[in-house]
PDB file of all heavy atoms in Angstrom:
ATOM      1  N   THR A   2       5.711  13.835 -26.317  1.00  0.00           N
ATOM      2  CA  THR A   2       4.786  13.626 -25.192  1.00  0.00           C
ATOM      3  C   THR A   2       5.359  14.238 -23.917  1.00  0.00           C
ATOM      4  O   THR A   2       6.576  14.357 -23.702  1.00  0.00           O
ATOM      5  CB  THR A   2       4.545  12.144 -25.045  1.00  0.00           C
ATOM      6  OG1 THR A   2       5.817  11.471 -24.712  1.00  0.00           O
ATOM      7  CG2 THR A   2       3.939  11.527 -26.253  1.00  0.00           C
ATOM      8  N   MET A   3       4.447  14.470 -22.911  1.00  0.00           N
ATOM      9  CA  MET A   3       4.877  15.099 -21.643  1.00  0.00           C
ATOM     10  C   MET A   3       5.464  14.091 -20.727  1.00  0.00           C
ATOM     11  O   MET A   3       6.316  14.340 -19.913  1.00  0.00           O
ATOM     12  CB  MET A   3       3.769  15.860 -21.040  1.00  0.00           C
ATOM     13  CG  MET A   3       4.140  16.605 -19.842  1.00  0.00           C
ATOM     14  SD  MET A   3       2.752  17.642 -19.159  1.00  0.00           S
ATOM     15  CE  MET A   3       2.573  18.850 -20.429  1.00  0.00           C
ATOM     16  N   PHE A   4       4.913  12.806 -20.829  1.00  0.00           N
ATOM     17  CA  PHE A   4       5.280  11.738 -19.901  1.00  0.00           C
ATOM     18  C   PHE A   4       5.878  10.450 -20.743  1.00  0.00           C
ATOM     19  O   PHE A   4       5.293  10.295 -21.904  1.00  0.00           O
ATOM     20  CB  PHE A   4       4.149  11.271 -19.019  1.00  0.00           C
ATOM     21  CG  PHE A   4       3.584  12.287 -18.136  1.00  0.00           C
ATOM     22  CD1 PHE A   4       2.449  13.006 -18.470  1.00  0.00           C
ATOM     23  CD2 PHE A   4       4.268  12.572 -16.925  1.00  0.00           C
ATOM     24  CE1 PHE A   4       1.943  14.020 -17.611  1.00  0.00           C
ATOM     25  CE2 PHE A   4       3.813  13.483 -16.090  1.00  0.00           C
ATOM     26  CZ  PHE A   4       2.614  14.234 -16.356  1.00  0.00           C
ATOM     27  N   ALA A   5       6.838   9.800 -20.147  1.00  0.00           N
ATOM     28  CA  ALA A   5       7.255   8.625 -20.735  1.00  0.00           C
ATOM     29  C   ALA A   5       7.493   7.607 -19.669  1.00  0.00           C
ATOM     30  O   ALA A   5       7.628   7.966 -18.470  1.00  0.00           O
ATOM     31  CB  ALA A   5       8.565   8.834 -21.538  1.00  0.00           C
ATOM     32  N   ASN A   6       7.416   6.333 -20.062  1.00  0.00           N
ATOM     33  CA  ASN A   6       7.704   5.211 -19.071  1.00  0.00           C
ATOM     34  C   ASN A   6       8.670   4.284 -19.607  1.00  0.00           C
ATOM     35  O   ASN A   6       8.597   3.823 -20.694  1.00  0.00           O
ATOM     36  CB  ASN A   6       6.341   4.495 -18.745  1.00  0.00           C
ATOM     37  CG  ASN A   6       6.518   3.437 -17.660  1.00  0.00           C
ATOM     38  OD1 ASN A   6       7.041   2.341 -18.005  1.00  0.00           O
ATOM     39  ND2 ASN A   6       6.063   3.721 -16.501  1.00  0.00           N
ATOM     40  N   HIS A   7       9.718   3.946 -18.835  1.00  0.00           N
ATOM     41  CA  HIS A   7      10.605   2.974 -19.126  1.00  0.00           C
ATOM     42  C   HIS A   7      10.954   2.056 -17.942  1.00  0.00           C
ATOM     43  O   HIS A   7      11.219   2.578 -16.875  1.00  0.00           O
ATOM     44  CB  HIS A   7      11.968   3.580 -19.677  1.00  0.00           C
ATOM     45  CG  HIS A   7      12.932   2.585 -20.257  1.00  0.00           C
ATOM     46  ND1 HIS A   7      12.712   1.846 -21.443  1.00  0.00           N
ATOM     47  CD2 HIS A   7      14.139   2.253 -19.816  1.00  0.00           C
ATOM     48  CE1 HIS A   7      13.694   1.166 -21.671  1.00  0.00           C
ATOM     49  NE2 HIS A   7      14.591   1.242 -20.717  1.00  0.00           N
ATOM     50  N   LEU A   8      10.797   0.793 -18.126  1.00  0.00           N
ATOM     51  CA  LEU A   8      11.042  -0.225 -17.051  1.00  0.00           C
ATOM     52  C   LEU A   8      10.188   0.159 -15.869  1.00  0.00           C
ATOM     53  O   LEU A   8      10.606   0.043 -14.669  1.00  0.00           O
ATOM     54  CB  LEU A   8      12.606  -0.183 -16.675  1.00  0.00           C
ATOM     55  CG  LEU A   8      13.536  -0.588 -17.759  1.00  0.00           C
ATOM     56  CD1 LEU A   8      14.915  -0.474 -17.191  1.00  0.00           C
ATOM     57  CD2 LEU A   8      13.256  -1.960 -18.192  1.00  0.00           C
ATOM     58  N   LEU A   9       8.967   0.512 -16.152  1.00  0.00           N
ATOM     59  CA  LEU A   9       7.893   0.819 -15.109  1.00  0.00           C
ATOM     60  C   LEU A   9       8.250   2.030 -14.295  1.00  0.00           C
ATOM     61  O   LEU A   9       7.700   2.137 -13.165  1.00  0.00           O
ATOM     62  CB  LEU A   9       7.718  -0.429 -14.188  1.00  0.00           C
ATOM     63  CG  LEU A   9       7.313  -1.742 -14.884  1.00  0.00           C
ATOM     64  CD1 LEU A   9       7.140  -2.857 -13.901  1.00  0.00           C
ATOM     65  CD2 LEU A   9       6.076  -1.561 -15.781  1.00  0.00           C
ATOM     66  N   HIS A  10       9.054   2.911 -14.871  1.00  0.00           N
ATOM     67  CA  HIS A  10       9.340   4.231 -14.148  1.00  0.00           C
ATOM     68  C   HIS A  10       8.868   5.326 -15.109  1.00  0.00           C
ATOM     69  O   HIS A  10       9.322   5.475 -16.199  1.00  0.00           O
ATOM     70  CB  HIS A  10      10.856   4.342 -13.896  1.00  0.00           C
ATOM     71  CG  HIS A  10      11.265   3.565 -12.733  1.00  0.00           C
ATOM     72  ND1 HIS A  10      11.195   4.051 -11.444  1.00  0.00           N
ATOM     73  CD2 HIS A  10      11.818   2.369 -12.634  1.00  0.00           C
ATOM     74  CE1 HIS A  10      11.620   3.188 -10.593  1.00  0.00           C
ATOM     75  NE2 HIS A  10      12.004   2.139 -11.251  1.00  0.00           N
ATOM     76  N   THR A  11       7.874   6.113 -14.626  1.00  0.00           N
ATOM     77  CA  THR A  11       7.366   7.235 -15.357  1.00  0.00           C
ATOM     78  C   THR A  11       8.164   8.502 -15.031  1.00  0.00           C
ATOM     79  O   THR A  11       8.487   8.791 -13.843  1.00  0.00           O
ATOM     80  CB  THR A  11       5.882   7.428 -15.072  1.00  0.00           C
ATOM     81  OG1 THR A  11       5.171   6.349 -15.412  1.00  0.00           O
ATOM     82  CG2 THR A  11       5.329   8.647 -15.889  1.00  0.00           C
ATOM     83  N   TYR A  12       8.442   9.342 -16.110  1.00  0.00           N
ATOM     84  CA  TYR A  12       9.191  10.506 -15.902  1.00  0.00           C
ATOM     85  C   TYR A  12       8.644  11.622 -16.831  1.00  0.00           C
ATOM     86  O   TYR A  12       7.892  11.271 -17.778  1.00  0.00           O
ATOM     87  CB  TYR A  12      10.653  10.372 -16.067  1.00  0.00           C
ATOM     88  CG  TYR A  12      11.150   9.895 -17.458  1.00  0.00           C
ATOM     89  CD1 TYR A  12      11.377  10.758 -18.498  1.00  0.00           C
ATOM     90  CD2 TYR A  12      11.181   8.538 -17.732  1.00  0.00           C
ATOM     91  CE1 TYR A  12      11.711  10.379 -19.745  1.00  0.00           C
ATOM     92  CE2 TYR A  12      11.599   8.068 -19.041  1.00  0.00           C
ATOM     93  CZ  TYR A  12      11.834   8.973 -19.980  1.00  0.00           C
ATOM     94  OH  TYR A  12      12.176   8.563 -21.278  1.00  0.00           O
ATOM     95  N   MET A  13       8.962  12.866 -16.551  1.00  0.00           N
ATOM     96  CA  MET A  13       8.512  14.008 -17.379  1.00  0.00           C
ATOM     97  C   MET A  13       9.550  14.318 -18.427  1.00  0.00           C
ATOM     98  O   MET A  13      10.698  14.700 -18.012  1.00  0.00           O
ATOM     99  CB  MET A  13       8.204  15.188 -16.462  1.00  0.00           C
ATOM    100  CG  MET A  13       7.474  16.267 -17.186  1.00  0.00           C
ATOM    101  SD  MET A  13       6.687  17.496 -16.084  1.00  0.00           S
ATOM    102  CE  MET A  13       5.163  16.602 -15.684  1.00  0.00           C
ATOM    103  N   THR A  14       9.166  14.120 -19.655  1.00  0.00           N
ATOM    104  CA  THR A  14      10.145  14.282 -20.710  1.00  0.00           C
ATOM    105  C   THR A  14      10.567  15.788 -20.943  1.00  0.00           C
ATOM    106  O   THR A  14      11.673  16.111 -21.348  1.00  0.00           O
ATOM    107  CB  THR A  14       9.610  13.759 -22.044  1.00  0.00           C
ATOM    108  OG1 THR A  14       8.391  14.552 -22.373  1.00  0.00           O
ATOM    109  CG2 THR A  14       9.227  12.246 -21.970  1.00  0.00           C
ATOM    110  N   THR A  15       9.680  16.736 -20.619  1.00  0.00           N
ATOM    111  CA  THR A  15       9.977  18.033 -20.786  1.00  0.00           C
ATOM    112  C   THR A  15      11.103  18.648 -20.044  1.00  0.00           C
ATOM    113  O   THR A  15      11.725  19.682 -20.357  1.00  0.00           O
ATOM    114  CB  THR A  15       8.664  18.947 -20.589  1.00  0.00           C
ATOM    115  OG1 THR A  15       8.215  18.627 -19.222  1.00  0.00           O
ATOM    116  CG2 THR A  15       7.584  18.658 -21.518  1.00  0.00           C
TER     117      THR A  15
END
Side-chain angles (χ1 to χ4, degrees):
T2 60
M3 187 175 290
F4 297 98
N6 181 284
H7 187 68
L8 299 176
L9 304 180
H10 282 276
T11 300
Y12 61 91
M13 188 164 278
T14 62
T15 51

